[in-house]
Amino acid sequence: MQSVQSHRKDEHVFLAEKFFQEHATAGFGDVRFIRPALPELAVDDVDIRQNIAGQQWQWPVLINAMTGGSPATGKINAELGTIAARTGLAVASGSESILASEPDQAATFTPLRAANPDGIVIANVGADKSPAVAQQAVDAFGANMLEVHLNAVQELVMPEGGREFYWLDNIARIQAAVSVPVIVKEVGAGMRSDDFARLSRLGVPFVDVGGRGGTDFAQIENVRSHQQHAGDFTDLFTFGQTTVESLLEAQSDDADTLQLWATGGIRSALDVVVALRLGAQVVGIAGLVLHWLTRGDLDTTVTRLQQLLTEVRGIVALLGARNLTELRTVPVVLSPTLRNYIEQRGLTMP
């Protein structure tokens, strides 16, 4: 019989697709590039490869955390591993926290590596899990890195979720104990400037802003809580900072040691380029990939991802930038709403 935790994994996948929005609200439309008519370069001149933790990434794009922990999601992970291998992208596992109570579920995560033996694969656990569980998640498939996710909003809405969010000290313990670099990742509610500052002081090297505007776990868990006759948290839908707002919150001298990753509501190549312009070194795509895979098939998803990557490089060329350093000097105009946010928060204009 399938456990509650394992069944929840299947529910998450079903509801994530059910609530998928073609047009996300992550803030990317509030940023407009001012393009040159004379780029004076060729697409082949553009080099946006990244060195991440001593490894060369061909693209600053990641297939980010989605699923695992049930037989059905194990099959999805096998497909995601294959997609990563065929596109040359890094891929992150869904939360492996279930391994603390159900170690046999490791077999639902290992297909990510089995289908992608030479690629970059990233493990994933909650910020409340012990260093031993974190290392278990890494060892499950020989992960190159570890995401430690922050999901206070999701936990609060889950009837069976945690209610204590003392995480900083445990993040420090995990980072000191595990054998691979750590990425601290918010799960869809964004971050604010002091979060980045505290993680920087802790010595965390990578932070994924995980902004609002993509998959809404408050909405997903609210449906599940209704099924269990629990509370109603509809007021937490769209709660938190968008991905764009979170990237702007990170622009602080107190967080200048961090390498930023951006996930949440990526729907197009232009969204990817905007995130890179605002300081992201890596852009994570999850809901869109799952949507393509659910509505199509593996081959179609590979083709669409390859098209997106080609478009990313082309847009960077159109902006007259040869690399990410030059991209970050391209002028932008912001919407009045985003300018107002920046002014009220006392942030630096990008």
Side-chain angles (χ1 to χ4, degrees), residues 34-319:
I34 306 303
R35 64 161 295 260
L38 298 166
E40 292 301 297
L41 53 75
V43 173
D44 286 347
D45 296 331
V46 174
D47 183 357
I48 52 176
R49 291 174 296 177
Q50 288 284 73
N51 187 291
I52 308 294
Q55 297 169 319
Q56 189 80 349
W57 290 29
Q58 294 302 307
W59 297 96
V61 174
L62 161 75
I63 300 171
N64 216 344
M66 284 184 239
T67 196
S70 72
T73 59
K75 294 177 182 177
I76 295 174
N77 275 337
E79 293 181 307
L80 294 174
T82 301
I83 293 166
R86 288 174 58 180
T87 57
L89 297 180
V91 60
S93 164
S95 174
E96 297 169 80
S97 296
I98 193 172
L99 299 183
S101 57
E102 300 180 42
D104 59 319
Q105 293 292 352
T108 69
F109 297 97
T110 54
L112 280 170
R113 173 61 79 194
N116 187 28
D118 301 318
I120 295 166
V121 184
I122 302 173
N124 183 322
V125 294
D128 63 329
K129 294 300 177 284
S130 70
V133 170
Q135 186 62 52
Q136 181 184 11
V138 171
D139 293 341
F141 48 73
N144 304 93
M145 305 178 79
L146 170 70
E147 286 184 342
V148 176
H149 67 256
L150 315 176
N151 64 334
V153 176
Q154 180 186 11
E155 291 287 343
L156 184 64
V157 181
M158 287 170 55
E160 70 275 33
R163 296 295 183 269
E164 295 182 358
F165 312 125
Y166 301 108
W167 290 339
L168 266 178
D169 288 347
N170 198 54
I171 291 170
R173 286 191 287 269
I174 290 173
Q175 182 168 254
V178 298
S179 57
V180 295
V182 167
I183 310 123
V184 174
K185 176 190 185 302
E186 166 58 37
V187 181
M191 305 179 80
R192 70 184 195 190
S193 57
D194 57 328
D195 294 322
F196 298 106
R198 289 195 288 180
L199 291 170
S200 178
R201 288 194 294 270
L202 211 61
V204 171
F206 307 100
V207 175
D208 186 335
V209 305
R212 171 173 64 82
T215 303
D216 189 335
F217 277 98
Q219 183 181 35
I220 287 172
E221 296 296 355
N222 196 60
V223 171
R224 293 186 60 252
S225 68
H226 279 178
Q227 293 169 351
Q228 299 177 45
H229 307 291
D232 188 327
F233 286 91
T234 54
D235 51 345
L236 292 184
F237 293 6
T238 70
F239 185 73
Q241 293 77 256
T242 67
T243 305
V244 166
E245 289 167 350
S246 299
L247 284 168
L248 295 172
E249 291 275 350
Q251 307 305 312
S252 165
D253 291 341
D254 293 332
D256 59 3
T257 63
L258 298 176
Q259 184 177 102
L260 297 177
W261 296 17
T263 302
I266 304 295
R267 294 291 183 266
S268 69
L270 186 57
D271 291 349
V272 173
V273 178
V274 170
L276 294 171
R277 166 60 179 84
L278 296 181
Q281 298 293 117
V282 172
V283 179
I285 306 175
L288 184 61
V289 174
L290 182 62
H291 177 67
W292 287 340
L293 191 56
T294 301
R295 295 298 179 92
D297 57 24
L298 190 151
D299 289 338
T300 301
T301 304
V302 168
T303 297
R304 298 191 74 166
L305 259 179
Q306 290 171 334
Q307 290 172 340
L308 182 143
L309 296 172
T310 298
E311 290 170 15
V312 166
R313 201 163 177 229
I315 293 170
V316 174
L318 287 178
L319 294 171

Side-chain angles (χ1 to χ4, degrees), residues 326-346:
E326 292 185 7
L327 175 64
R328 294 190 181 113
T329 67
V330 175
V332 293
V333 171
L334 310 181
S335 72
T337 299
L338 191 55
R339 285 183 61 91
N340 181 52
Y341 180 92
I342 290 170
E343 290 168 8
Q344 290 197 46
R345 290 289 296 143

Side-chain angles (χ1 to χ4, degrees), residues 1-19:
M1 182 176 177
Q2 193 174 15
S3 71
V4 171
Q5 287 190 81
S6 181
H7 179 62
R8 184 172 72 228
K9 302 289 189 173
D10 293 338
E11 290 181 298
H12 284 170
V13 170
F14 171 78
L15 293 170
E17 173 57 25
K18 177 180 178 179
F19 295 127

